[in-house]
Amino acid sequence: MSELGPVAWPPEPIRTERLVLRESEARDRSAFIELLASPEVHTYLGGPRPRDELERDMPGAPERWPGSFVVDLDGAMIGQILLRRATGHSRPAAAGKADLGYLFLPRAWGFGYAAEACAAALDWFDGILPGEPVVLSTQTANVGSMRLAAKLGFTEVERFHAWDAEQWLGLRSPVTPSA
């Protein structure tokens, strides 16, 4: 995965009805560690990372690169949205396209925050790189992620087997600017 391309970063914070998408700050470090060490969050992502390793290796302001948004609710990080260029993706249908990923703390599940934050990030993306398609991959066993992909307008391109599980690759057709 690599950067999105000629994108001014960081953008102004993106505000939704309940959330703010912003660049990470030092105050987010403990939430990042919790997110990356959570067995629940990583059920379909190959398992969590060891907390002691994260505590030792995580920089003061984690994940500061174009396309990485902290999802903030009432001043606290509850998740992360990732938009990256899928240059090394193993599936030809995804290679070179922007790839949407997201992680949310379990306490934030079930409130629609992921849908709200992902929709806002995709709207931002459409504004800065109009006409570009976006892909999303998830395990077919991850029912919540499959529902979210459909809600966000992703349609199935293919299913494939990787990491000892069936994977789903979806494509969101580019939004073309109106004349």
Side-chain angles (χ1 to χ4, degrees):
M1 299 290 186
S2 65
E3 293 186 12
L4 293 174
V7 174
W9 193 264
E12 289 295 316
I14 300 167
R15 298 182 189 287
T16 70
E17 185 178 328
R18 303 178 292 173
L19 307 170
V20 176
L21 278 64
R22 59 172 174 77
E23 186 175 39
S24 69
E25 300 171 358
R27 67 184 166 123
D28 303 317
R29 188 176 187 277
S30 63
F32 268 106
I33 290 170
E34 184 181 350
L35 190 67
L36 298 173
S38 169
E40 295 88 4
V41 171
H42 291 274
T43 298
Y44 303 105
L45 298 171
R49 291 184 46 201
R51 184 175 290 278
D52 60 337
E53 175 186 301
L54 290 164
E55 291 279 1
R56 183 183 63 246
D57 298 340
M58 181 147 316
E63 300 292 331
R64 293 189 92 171
W65 43 264
S68 174
F69 293 98
V70 162
V71 180
D72 183 306
L73 173 68
D74 298 328
M77 178 182 166
I78 60 165
Q80 180 185 29
I81 302 290
L82 306 162
L83 275 163
R84 301 188 272 191
R85 188 75 53 197
T87 53
H89 203 288
S90 65
R91 310 313 298 176
K97 292 180 178 65
D99 182 71
L100 174 68
Y102 42 87
L103 300 170
F104 283 81
L105 293 167
R107 67 177 173 270
W109 295 357
F111 298 99
Y113 297 137
E116 187 175 328
C118 287
L122 289 167
D123 286 348
W124 169 81
F125 182 82
D126 291 340
I128 60 155
L129 294 170
E132 287 223 23
V134 179
V135 295
L136 181 151
S137 297
T138 189
Q139 281 191 21
T140 56
N142 189 343
V143 175
S145 191
M146 294 287 293
R147 268 195 312 264
L148 178 57
K151 186 174 189 173
L152 294 170
F154 287 85
T155 56
E156 184 173 324
V157 173
E158 69 176 306
R159 292 182 186 215
F160 59 98
H161 195 82
W163 303 289
D164 298 324
E166 184 180 54
Q167 308 292 321
W168 181 89
L169 176 65
L171 174 70
R172 180 177 162 270
S173 295
V175 174
T176 52
S178 54

